[in-house]
Amino acid sequence: MATILFFGRLRDSVGTNALTAALPEGVDDTDGLRAWLGREHPVLRETSVRIAVNAELSPGNAPVADGDEIAFLPPMSGG
Amino acid sequence: MIRVQAEPFAPDAELAAFIVSVPDAGAVASFVGLVRSESEGGDVSGLELEHYPALTERAIAGIGEDARARFALAGLAIVHRCGAMAPGEPIVFVAAAAAHRRAAFDAVDYMMDRLKTEAPFWKRELGPDGARWIEPRDTDLKDRARWG
């Protein structure tokens, strides 16, 4: 099982801030995860939405596995 | 000194503490960002700042490290609120100390441009028509792009 978090407006779009899911066969990287969850929630496919794995942001596709904490992040704005 | 906190802070106390911490500096510049009372959506009754603690603290520390690498600084401070805030309350305090003023001014400007566009916070403004999420404006992205 992986923990999947949704921040900011994504929480409103998806309807929850966190879910626990078994990653289906073949979903083993962030591109695959985005495509899988994006079928139900197209907002997750927006190019401005970034994905952090275990609180690490990587510039491109990154591996994901059961036990990971995976966060979908809309554009950030502090200050 | 870098902190993310839900509790309000007093910018004057932060500045005084920072100045004492950099006895060898010749210049200190600082900036305080406040919750606006008005926006495009009308009167603002409050602001909520969501964050992702593990990522947010590391990202802010990284912005501080980049500022140290880029400018000749004697020290820096970033204090950032999270959670619920009222109009007029400080959201962010940024300060930089250097031998001379230019590096201090530039470092504060640089850190704020990075915070506005890259710090993992998500901002929701409460107004007369309910709540709306605020994302970086084009001007924020242009300001950020000045630094390469």
Side-chain angles (χ1 to χ4, degrees):
Chain A
M1 302 292 266
T3 302
I4 305 173
L5 308 177
F6 304 99
F7 285 89
R9 63 180 165 84
L10 302 181
R11 168 161 49 92
D12 296 345
S13 305
V14 175
T16 182
N17 62 355
L19 55 86
T20 305
L23 299 176
E25 187 85 25
V27 173
D28 55 11
D29 58 25
T30 50
D31 284 354
L33 183 73
R34 191 191 285 270
W36 173 54
L37 289 176
R39 280 201 288 275
E40 192 177 345
H41 305 291
V43 67
L44 303 178
R45 292 205 299 258
E46 289 176 9
T47 51
S48 65
V49 170
R50 300 181 66 191
I51 303 176
V53 181
N54 298 322
E56 292 275 357
L57 269 174
S58 62
N61 196 16
V64 295
D66 276 341
D68 284 346
E69 179 177 278
I70 304 159
F72 283 80
L73 314 171
M76 307 168 185
S77 179
Chain B
M1 175 186 53
I2 292 183
R3 294 195 328 262
V4 177
Q5 61 181 52
E7 303 73 33
F9 64 84
D12 55 345
E14 298 295 341
L15 181 59
F18 179 65
I19 290 172
V20 170
S21 76
V22 287
D24 298 331
V28 168
S30 68
F31 173 85
V32 179
L34 306 172
V35 179
R36 273 168 231 292
S37 58
E38 282 178 36
S39 76
E40 302 93 85
D43 288 346
V44 174
S45 55
L47 188 76
E48 289 171 8
L49 214 48
E50 186 183 355
H51 77 310
Y52 181 13
L55 185 64
T56 306
E57 279 160 31
R58 187 143 23 90
I60 293 179
I63 290 171
E65 280 164 29
D66 290 348
R68 281 183 185 278
R70 187 162 187 146
F71 306 99
L73 299 182
L76 61 83
I78 302 173
V79 180
H80 209 299
R81 291 278 304 277
C82 59
M85 280 157 261
E89 286 186 16
I91 304 180
V92 64
F93 169 83
V94 171
H100 300 283
R101 71 183 181 284
R102 185 60 52 204
F105 278 133
D106 287 350
V108 168
D109 199 14
Y110 170 82
M111 289 190 281
M112 277 310 304
D113 286 345
R114 296 276 312 268
L115 288 168
K116 291 295 282 188
T117 53
E118 293 170 38
F121 288 100
W122 297 276
K123 210 179 264 177
R124 204 159 72 128
E125 209 171 68
L126 311 175
D129 302 320
R132 64 186 193 112
W133 292 98
I134 311 290
E135 297 203 342
R137 300 168 304 160
D138 286 346
T139 52
D140 295 327
L141 299 172
K142 279 196 195 106
D143 287 345
R144 166 66 186 94
R146 293 180 300 148
W147 305 101

